[in-house]
Amino acid sequence: MKIIALAKYNELAWKGMIGSSYAERRKVMEAVVSSAGATLTDMIFTRGQYDIVVTFDVPSEDVALGAAIAVNASGAIKDLVTLSEIDIDCALKTAKSVAGAYTPPGT
């Protein structure tokens, strides 16, 4: 399962980044993801609403949530959003079944 994490650093994290580098932060992120039993796919710093975007493959959504909790608990992140990959064909198949069975209230 693919996970996309969007994060915004707080001021102290940016202060620490001044003495760091992309290579150092990627090494840290690889260790974080690996310790959760996942694989880092990509990590990019961005300009805009979020400072960093990380993509990784995880065995389950619970694993992704555990990693997110640990990173959030560090205090370095002031906004963290995780997006999970979905199987759209499976979701649409279910939607078709439900749409035929569901009737709105009052009908």
Side-chain angles (χ1 to χ4, degrees):
M1 158 182 276
K2 293 189 188 315
I3 298 292
I4 300 166
L6 309 162
K8 190 181 297 188
Y9 282 145
N10 67 23
E11 293 79 12
L12 290 176
W14 274 119
K15 185 175 180 180
M17 279 296 296
I18 292 171
S20 189
S21 68
Y22 174 85
E24 287 178 18
R25 296 317 304 163
R26 183 168 178 108
K27 187 175 180 179
V28 169
M29 189 55 64
E30 285 172 345
V32 167
V33 171
S34 177
S35 69
T39 305
L40 181 66
T41 306
D42 202 5
M43 182 182 101
I44 58 173
F45 285 88
T46 59
R47 185 173 54 108
Q49 185 174 353
Y50 294 97
D51 300 320
I52 186 169
V53 177
V54 180
T55 58
F56 48 101
D57 289 314
V58 294
S60 71
E61 204 155 4
D62 293 334
V63 169
L65 180 59
I69 290 169
V71 170
N72 231 4
S74 75
I77 304 296
K78 61 181 173 183
D79 187 12
L80 176 64
V81 174
T82 56
L83 306 171
S84 329
E85 174 184 38
I86 62 167
D87 181 341
I88 192 64
D89 289 332
C90 182
L92 292 172
K93 181 180 176 182
T94 301
K96 287 173 189 170
S97 296
V98 171
Y102 177 74
T103 56
T107 59

